[in-house]
Amino acid sequence: MTKVTARKVTTHVLQEMKNRGEKISMLTAYDYSMARLVEAAGIDVILVGDSASNVMAGHNSTLPITLDQMIYHGSSVVRAVSRAFVVVDMPFGTYQGDSKNALSSAIRIMKETGADAVKLEGGKEILESIDRILSAGIPVMGHLGLTPQSIHKFGTYVVRATEESEANKLISDAHLIEQAGCFSVVLEKIPAKLGAKVAGELKIPIIGIGAGREVDGQVLVIHDMLGITQEFSPRFLRRYSNLSEEIQNAVRTYIQDVKDLEFPNDSEQY
Ligand code: KIV
């Protein structure tokens, strides 16, 4: 079993983990109660993902979530955490156009949530925003491969970078991001061989979601890995629990107990 130390996880600690070959564990969380559980279990990194748009708000993409909503989720998570490194996703529309807007959005996230870093999707196209945010001393995590904020451009959630030209662009973007000063990159839904190549070439930690085993760490959306969501079943997803069934069984039992006057019993009333 992996030993969890009380030492606060920082960008420096994550880099040390990569250097000594220790894998980095990362999960999403969007609220205080879940973040407390994830932190207590010893996770290294919590991502306040814009997947909140799907799993918390019920939208069918990550595009609608707003900066204020991400700040609400981020600050709720940060209040629960003392050891894990907390990264907040910058939502769609806050960094793709004007790099000054990107910086002011990143500053709001850092000031109003207390998070440790922000994450942005994309490579060369958003380099000016990455540079400007980094120049303010804000740690940036990149995100390449399947970038859900670009779903309308891709038109599908199939595996990315299977063609040589897209794979070459991804490799070149990963190097650009590293040279700019990002402390880590997420690679989503790409061939395992490509994930391994990028993790081998880059010095910074590469966190995969559907990018194979040979990267420096793994991330999953917590609602998916706990089996709270059922409709989403990509090959890379391992379900570690079936909370959907457990929650429904508990709720059904409660309903029945209420109807049958079984709840509350004598010791559950005043
Ligand atoms: O928003 C999110 O949950 C993410 C992960 C899929 C990496 O970006």
Side-chain angles (χ1 to χ4, degrees):
M1 183 167 288
T2 314
K3 202 174 103 218
V4 177
T5 60
R7 184 178 174 207
K8 166 74 187 161
V9 181
T10 61
T11 55
H12 182 69
V13 169
L14 295 171
Q15 186 61 57
E16 284 177 343
M17 288 171 79
K18 165 147 186 164
N19 296 349
R20 63 171 179 267
E22 180 183 339
K23 299 293 179 190
I24 297 166
S25 61
M26 174 161 146
L27 279 173
T28 66
Y30 318 98
D31 67 278
Y32 176 82
S33 302
M34 189 69 89
R36 268 189 76 167
L37 297 174
V38 170
E39 158 92 351
I43 202 79
D44 297 314
V45 183
I46 296 180
L47 171 66
V48 185
D50 58 357
S51 48
S53 180
N54 304 86
V55 296
M56 300 300 286
H59 295 297
N60 64 8
S61 82
T62 58
L63 275 67
I65 200 159
T66 66
L67 183 58
D68 284 338
Q69 287 164 342
M70 287 307 297
I71 288 172
Y72 168 78
H73 289 297
S75 58
S76 307
V77 165
V78 168
R79 278 193 287 277
V81 171
S82 56
R83 176 187 168 274
F85 188 84
V86 180
V87 183
V88 176
D89 260 339
M90 293 192 62
F92 177 66
T94 58
Y95 61 92
Q96 288 91 345
D98 173 4
S99 64
K100 288 189 182 150
N101 182 34
L103 176 59
S104 56
S105 304
I107 288 176
R108 274 201 65 199
I109 289 174
M110 298 301 282
K111 266 183 183 292
E112 296 177 38
T113 69
D116 299 302
V118 295
K119 176 164 82 60
L120 283 71
E121 295 181 6
K124 190 164 180 260
E125 312 73 26
I126 58 151
L127 206 54
E128 195 181 311
S129 291
I130 291 179
D131 279 337
R132 203 180 272 268
I133 295 169
L134 285 166
S135 73
I138 299 172
V140 176
M141 177 179 260
H143 184 154
L144 300 170
L146 179 74
T147 46
Q149 291 179 11
S150 306
I151 186 58
H152 296 305
K153 187 176 99 186
F154 297 147
T156 158
Y157 284 99
V158 295
V159 62
R160 304 302 316 173
T162 51
E163 303 282 330
E164 200 180 338
S165 58
E166 194 179 338
N168 287 340
K169 173 165 170 22
L170 186 146
I171 294 167
S172 137
D173 279 343
H175 281 285
L176 276 179
I177 285 175
E178 174 172 73
Q179 280 153 19
C182 288
F183 72 94
S184 175
V185 182
V186 166
L187 294 182
E188 180 165 351
K189 213 168 180 185
I190 59 165
K193 255 187 159 169
L194 181 59
K197 183 171 166 60
V198 176
E201 286 185 12
L202 266 65
K203 293 193 176 58
I204 56 175
I206 306 300
I207 313 292
I209 173 164
R213 223 182 358 240
E214 303 297 320
V215 288
D216 306 305
Q218 300 292 332
V219 57
L220 286 174
V221 168
I222 190 133
H223 289 64
D224 299 334
M225 62 85 77
L226 291 179
I228 296 172
T229 51
Q230 290 291 329
E231 55 289 344
F232 182 65
S233 285
R235 188 197 296 190
F236 66 73
L237 173 60
R238 185 181 296 180
R239 288 193 210 285
Y240 285 83
S241 190
N242 189 355
L243 284 195
S244 160
E245 202 175 298
E246 285 205 32
I247 291 170
Q248 288 185 68
N249 284 341
V251 173
R252 277 191 207 104
T253 308
Y254 167 75
I255 294 169
Q256 202 54 55
D257 285 353
V258 170
K259 307 267 180 208
D260 296 345
L261 281 184
E262 286 290 332
F263 176 80
N265 64 22
D266 288 348
S267 64
E268 290 163 333
Q269 58 190 3
Y270 302 97

Short mmCIF file of all heavy atoms in Angstrom, two decimals, residues 26 28 30 47-52 62 89 119 121 143 148 186 188 209 219 221, ligand 1:
data_model
loop_
_atom_site.label_atom_id
_atom_site.label_comp_id
_atom_site.label_asym_id
_atom_site.label_seq_id
_atom_site.Cartn_x
_atom_site.Cartn_y
_atom_site.Cartn_z
N MET A 26 -4.83 11.39 -9.45
CA MET A 26 -5.62 12.63 -9.57
C MET A 26 -7.08 12.24 -9.82
O MET A 26 -7.36 11.28 -10.56
CB MET A 26 -5.05 13.45 -10.72
CG MET A 26 -5.80 14.69 -11.12
SD MET A 26 -4.66 15.77 -12.08
CE MET A 26 -5.77 16.53 -13.23
N THR A 28 -11.27 14.12 -10.00
CA THR A 28 -12.03 15.36 -9.92
C THR A 28 -12.83 15.39 -8.61
O THR A 28 -13.12 14.35 -8.02
CB THR A 28 -13.03 15.51 -11.08
OG1 THR A 28 -14.03 14.50 -10.96
CG2 THR A 28 -12.34 15.42 -12.42
N TYR A 30 -15.94 18.42 -6.93
CA TYR A 30 -16.58 19.71 -7.23
C TYR A 30 -17.23 20.34 -6.00
O TYR A 30 -17.77 21.43 -6.09
CB TYR A 30 -17.65 19.53 -8.31
CG TYR A 30 -17.23 18.62 -9.43
CD1 TYR A 30 -17.61 17.28 -9.46
CD2 TYR A 30 -16.41 19.09 -10.46
CE1 TYR A 30 -17.21 16.43 -10.47
CE2 TYR A 30 -16.00 18.25 -11.48
CZ TYR A 30 -16.40 16.91 -11.48
OH TYR A 30 -15.99 16.09 -12.48
N LEU A 47 -8.73 17.74 -9.19
CA LEU A 47 -9.07 18.63 -10.30
C LEU A 47 -10.52 19.07 -10.14
O LEU A 47 -11.43 18.24 -10.12
CB LEU A 47 -8.91 17.90 -11.64
CG LEU A 47 -9.43 18.67 -12.86
CD1 LEU A 47 -8.62 19.93 -13.10
CD2 LEU A 47 -9.41 17.78 -14.11
N VAL A 48 -10.71 20.38 -10.00
CA VAL A 48 -12.07 20.93 -10.06
C VAL A 48 -12.33 21.12 -11.56
O VAL A 48 -12.04 22.17 -12.13
CB VAL A 48 -12.18 22.24 -9.27
CG1 VAL A 48 -13.64 22.71 -9.24
CG2 VAL A 48 -11.65 22.05 -7.85
N GLY A 49 -12.77 20.05 -12.20
CA GLY A 49 -12.89 20.03 -13.65
C GLY A 49 -14.14 20.77 -14.12
O GLY A 49 -15.14 20.84 -13.40
N ASP A 50 -14.05 21.26 -15.36
CA ASP A 50 -15.26 21.85 -15.92
C ASP A 50 -16.25 20.75 -16.32
O ASP A 50 -17.36 21.03 -16.78
CB ASP A 50 -14.95 22.80 -17.08
CG ASP A 50 -14.20 22.14 -18.21
OD1 ASP A 50 -13.86 20.94 -18.10
OD2 ASP A 50 -13.94 22.82 -19.23
N SER A 51 -15.85 19.48 -16.09
CA SER A 51 -16.81 18.37 -16.20
C SER A 51 -17.94 18.56 -15.18
O SER A 51 -18.96 17.88 -15.25
CB SER A 51 -16.11 17.03 -16.00
OG SER A 51 -15.27 17.07 -14.85
N ALA A 52 -17.77 19.48 -14.23
CA ALA A 52 -18.88 19.88 -13.34
C ALA A 52 -20.10 20.28 -14.18
O ALA A 52 -21.25 20.08 -13.76
CB ALA A 52 -18.46 21.04 -12.45
N THR A 62 -19.12 20.67 -21.71
CA THR A 62 -18.48 21.51 -20.68
C THR A 62 -18.60 22.99 -21.02
O THR A 62 -18.16 23.84 -20.24
CB THR A 62 -16.97 21.14 -20.54
OG1 THR A 62 -16.33 21.32 -21.81
CG2 THR A 62 -16.79 19.72 -20.06
N ASP A 89 -10.15 24.14 -13.42
CA ASP A 89 -10.25 24.34 -14.86
C ASP A 89 -10.70 25.76 -15.17
O ASP A 89 -11.65 26.26 -14.57
CB ASP A 89 -11.31 23.40 -15.45
CG ASP A 89 -10.71 22.17 -16.08
OD1 ASP A 89 -9.51 22.19 -16.45
OD2 ASP A 89 -11.44 21.17 -16.22
N LYS A 119 -6.01 25.05 -15.04
CA LYS A 119 -5.78 24.18 -16.21
C LYS A 119 -6.48 24.79 -17.41
O LYS A 119 -7.61 25.28 -17.31
CB LYS A 119 -6.30 22.76 -15.94
CG LYS A 119 -6.17 21.83 -17.16
CD LYS A 119 -6.30 20.36 -16.81
CE LYS A 119 -7.72 19.86 -16.66
NZ LYS A 119 -8.55 19.99 -17.88
N GLU A 121 -7.14 24.18 -21.82
CA GLU A 121 -7.10 23.21 -22.92
C GLU A 121 -6.49 23.86 -24.17
O GLU A 121 -6.93 24.95 -24.58
CB GLU A 121 -8.52 22.74 -23.25
CG GLU A 121 -9.17 21.95 -22.13
CD GLU A 121 -10.57 21.47 -22.48
OE1 GLU A 121 -11.02 21.64 -23.63
OE2 GLU A 121 -11.23 20.91 -21.57
N HIS A 143 -3.60 20.81 -21.22
CA HIS A 143 -4.54 19.70 -21.51
C HIS A 143 -4.58 19.54 -23.03
O HIS A 143 -5.02 20.45 -23.74
CB HIS A 143 -5.91 20.05 -20.92
CG HIS A 143 -6.94 18.97 -21.06
ND1 HIS A 143 -8.02 18.86 -20.19
CD2 HIS A 143 -7.11 17.96 -21.94
CE1 HIS A 143 -8.78 17.83 -20.53
NE2 HIS A 143 -8.24 17.27 -21.62
N PRO A 148 -12.40 18.61 -24.37
CA PRO A 148 -13.86 18.66 -24.49
C PRO A 148 -14.43 20.05 -24.81
O PRO A 148 -15.54 20.14 -25.35
CB PRO A 148 -14.34 18.16 -23.11
CG PRO A 148 -13.22 17.30 -22.63
CD PRO A 148 -11.96 17.97 -23.13
N VAL A 186 -2.20 17.32 -18.95
CA VAL A 186 -3.14 16.21 -19.04
C VAL A 186 -3.24 15.79 -20.51
O VAL A 186 -3.35 16.65 -21.39
CB VAL A 186 -4.54 16.62 -18.52
CG1 VAL A 186 -5.61 15.61 -18.92
CG2 VAL A 186 -4.53 16.79 -17.01
N GLU A 188 -5.62 13.47 -22.91
CA GLU A 188 -6.91 12.77 -22.85
C GLU A 188 -7.17 11.98 -24.13
O GLU A 188 -7.07 12.52 -25.24
CB GLU A 188 -8.04 13.79 -22.62
CG GLU A 188 -9.42 13.12 -22.54
CD GLU A 188 -10.50 14.02 -21.96
OE1 GLU A 188 -10.19 15.12 -21.44
OE2 GLU A 188 -11.67 13.60 -22.01
N ILE A 209 -5.69 10.44 -19.10
CA ILE A 209 -7.05 9.91 -18.95
C ILE A 209 -7.32 9.25 -20.30
O ILE A 209 -7.52 9.94 -21.31
CB ILE A 209 -8.08 11.00 -18.54
CG1 ILE A 209 -9.50 10.43 -18.59
CG2 ILE A 209 -7.97 12.29 -19.35
CD1 ILE A 209 -10.56 11.27 -17.85
N VAL A 219 -5.87 10.34 -14.18
CA VAL A 219 -7.01 11.10 -13.65
C VAL A 219 -8.30 10.49 -14.17
O VAL A 219 -8.35 9.99 -15.30
CB VAL A 219 -6.92 12.61 -14.04
CG1 VAL A 219 -6.83 12.84 -15.53
CG2 VAL A 219 -8.10 13.40 -13.46
N VAL A 221 -12.82 11.13 -13.76
CA VAL A 221 -13.93 11.92 -13.20
C VAL A 221 -14.57 11.08 -12.08
O VAL A 221 -14.92 9.92 -12.29
CB VAL A 221 -14.96 12.25 -14.32
CG1 VAL A 221 -16.24 12.82 -13.73
CG2 VAL A 221 -14.34 13.23 -15.31
O1 KIV B 1 -13.00 18.54 -16.59
C1 KIV B 1 -12.45 17.45 -16.36
O2 KIV B 1 -12.94 16.62 -15.58
C2 KIV B 1 -11.20 17.17 -17.03
C3 KIV B 1 -10.67 15.77 -16.94
C4 KIV B 1 -11.42 14.90 -17.86
C5 KIV B 1 -9.21 15.70 -17.16
O3 KIV B 1 -10.63 18.01 -17.64
#
